[in-house]
Amino acid sequence: MSRLPYAKGSLLFAPMEGVTDEPYRKIIEKIYPQWDYLFTDFYRVPTVGKITSAPLLRHLGRHTMDNERVRSKTGFQILTAAQAQTLDVAQAAQSLKLHHLDLNLGCPAKKVNAHCGGSFMLTDLKLMEETARKIRDNFSGVFTAKIRLGYHDKSSFKEIVLRLIDAGVEAITIHGRTRDEMYKGHADWDAIAMAVEFSSVPIIGNGDIWSVHDVDAMFKHTGCYAVMLGRGALKTPWMAKLYKENRNKLSELHETFLHYERLKYLDEYFFELEKSYLSYGFSESNILGRFKSLSRYLFDDFDQADSVRSSFLRAPNLSDFQHSLQNLH
Ligand SMILES: Cc1cc2nc3c(=O)[nH]c(=O)nc-3n(C[C@H](O)[C@H](O)[C@H](O)COP(=O)(O)O)c2cc1C
């Protein structure tokens, strides 16, 4: 019997460093409540110093902690390494009564891998399994993992999944690429479909879901339990709403409609985000920096996407950024 905090067929907003902190998640949750579940960006397990629950609470956010509905829709992700204090963090999560820990085994960053963390653990399955067991034995909430297909290649993929299940994870999100592939090529959905066949725990499909049609295609192609969207969610933060409202007539959604939907939603998105970031004490230049990085995927479908995007990326201040938004209409 699955204890997962999201049902079969759910749409999950992926953990994304530099994006899915509380001020951002709060707005997504507020204006697009159709997302079934969201994740914190990864909390890096420290290697030195005494572990207390305070930094975990800061990472999750006070609003999330205090609001039962929001908390129950938010997974807490950790990224750990061979020398890091995994056990202490699992115990701190337990004392905070967090309901869900997700272990990041997919991060491809060189710095993280150099400390034997993130996707590096996919090269040392003994270390990976021991780490997962350490969390499982010290944390009674839901425990899941997020992986890539392997580090250099996919040869250990099946063993990775089976060893994680053996260590007690309750679901596995699979980004269908190896670490060496970073974001190149296409995510391998066949590998995800294969895991759905042999896995005894739910598999969450992830990688290259860019449209509502892709959401449907990932479910149909792989038979996965739920889907997770990263860059596609940044491109279309209202994707879950669009999908759920049109699930039975996806073939009727044409480009012009989607474009007008986009224009409709963009103003609200940035308006709400600005208010949220300000309320968390972000400076104007910080907000502008965030807005510019969020602009990366939002305009991909525009005619002359490059020049539209660059008008946002060049904005010297927030009011010029807002001005560029108005110019889209
Ligand atoms: C800006 C950014 C930050 C990310 N940070 C994290 C993270 O903190 N934890 C994690 O597990 N994956 C992280 N990822 C990976 C995504 O969660 C996701 O697995 C990956 O982008 C593939 O899915 P997609 O094709 O839907 O983007 C990040 C991806 C992006 C683009």
Side-chain angles (χ1 to χ4, degrees):
M1 182 64 187
S2 164
R3 300 197 300 160
L4 291 182
Y6 39 84
K8 194 165 166 45
S10 287
L11 273 69
L12 319 183
F13 203 107
M16 281 182 276
E17 190 195 12
V19 181
T20 60
D21 56 3
E22 184 175 74
Y24 183 86
R25 293 193 321 267
K26 191 173 171 183
I27 293 312
I28 295 297
E29 217 284 318
K30 176 181 163 194
I31 61 180
Y32 311 123
Q34 293 83 358
W35 287 103
D36 296 293
Y37 204 73
L38 298 97
F39 286 84
T40 67
D41 48 335
F42 66 74
Y43 170 78
R44 191 190 296 262
V45 175
T47 35
V48 290
K50 186 172 158 41
I51 302 292
T52 65
S53 52
L56 277 81
L57 184 54
R58 263 199 307 281
H59 192 78
L60 180 67
R62 195 76 245 185
H63 164 81
T64 310
M65 190 66 181
D66 291 346
N67 184 322
E68 168 57 23
R69 190 183 49 79
V70 179
R71 183 155 44 105
S72 66
K73 275 183 79 169
T74 310
F76 191 94
Q77 192 186 58
I78 62 171
L79 178 102
T80 191
Q83 306 301 330
Q85 302 176 80
T86 310
L87 186 146
D88 300 46
V89 164
Q91 287 172 342
Q94 179 71 23
S95 72
L96 273 178
K97 297 196 171 59
L98 295 187
H99 72 284
H100 178 191
L101 279 184
D102 183 59
L103 175 62
N104 177 335
L105 293 168
C107 182
K110 277 208 175 81
K111 213 170 130 194
V112 169
N113 293 167
H115 294 99
C116 310
S119 58
F120 174 85
M121 286 204 187
L122 304 179
T123 67
D124 184 343
L125 301 195
K126 186 163 171 283
L127 171 67
M128 178 195 79
E129 195 177 331
E130 278 168 10
T131 305
R133 278 189 199 285
K134 215 178 270 176
I135 298 169
R136 179 68 295 168
D137 292 347
N138 289 280
F139 179 70
S140 64
V142 173
F143 174 40
T144 59
K146 181 164 177 287
I147 65 171
R148 285 179 173 245
L149 302 178
Y151 195 86
H152 297 307
D153 59 46
K154 308 172 195 168
S155 54
S156 304
F157 174 54
K158 187 167 181 183
E159 193 184 348
I160 290 166
V161 172
L162 294 179
R163 285 178 81 149
L164 284 171
I165 295 172
D166 214 42
V169 306
E170 292 166 78
I172 302 176
T173 302
I174 301 175
H175 174 194
R177 287 186 175 85
T178 62
R179 182 268 175 197
D180 283 353
E181 286 169 333
M182 303 296 269
Y183 284 92
K184 289 195 288 279
H186 293 287
D188 179 352
W189 291 9
D190 288 342
I192 298 174
M194 193 175 87
V196 170
E197 286 295 313
F198 69 71
S199 168
S200 56
V201 303
I203 297 294
I204 290 89
N206 173 234
D208 293 346
I209 301 175
W210 289 105
S211 67
V212 283
H213 305 97
D214 292 343
V215 171
D216 215 35
M218 173 66 98
F219 276 124
K220 288 193 174 123
H221 188 89
T222 66
C224 60
Y225 178 88
V227 295
M228 179 185 282
L229 283 74
R231 294 162 304 161
L234 297 184
K235 178 181 173 189
T236 310
W238 47 92
M239 183 87 87
K241 177 174 162 66
L242 201 59
Y243 179 76
K244 289 185 176 176
E245 288 177 355
N246 297 284
R247 158 177 8 220
N248 297 322
K249 46 177 170 130
L250 292 180
S251 60
E252 293 168 27
L253 294 186
H254 39 76
E255 289 304 318
T256 323
F257 168 79
L258 293 174
H259 186 71
Y260 282 109
E261 287 284 286
R262 179 165 298 275
L263 292 180
K264 205 170 78 188
Y265 289 125
L266 276 174
D267 291 339
E268 179 192 39
Y269 180 57
F270 283 113
F271 175 76
E272 292 286 347
L273 279 177
E274 182 175 344
K275 268 199 316 192
S276 180
Y277 288 139
L278 284 172
S279 76
Y280 280 81
F282 281 46
S283 67
E284 174 161 336
S285 76
N286 255 334
I287 299 175
L288 184 64
R290 284 284 180 109
F291 278 12
K292 288 184 179 182
S293 66
L294 291 174
S295 301
R296 183 154 170 218
Y297 302 106
L298 282 168
F299 308 107
D300 284 358
D301 290 346
F302 279 64
D303 290 338
Q304 293 162 346
D306 287 345
S307 76
V308 173
R309 196 179 298 109
S310 80
S311 76
F312 288 93
L313 295 180
R314 281 198 321 263
N317 51 48
L318 271 182
S319 69
D320 279 45
F321 189 96
Q322 304 290 9
H323 193 65
S324 296
L325 270 179
Q326 282 149 23
N327 284 344
L328 292 176
H329 291 279

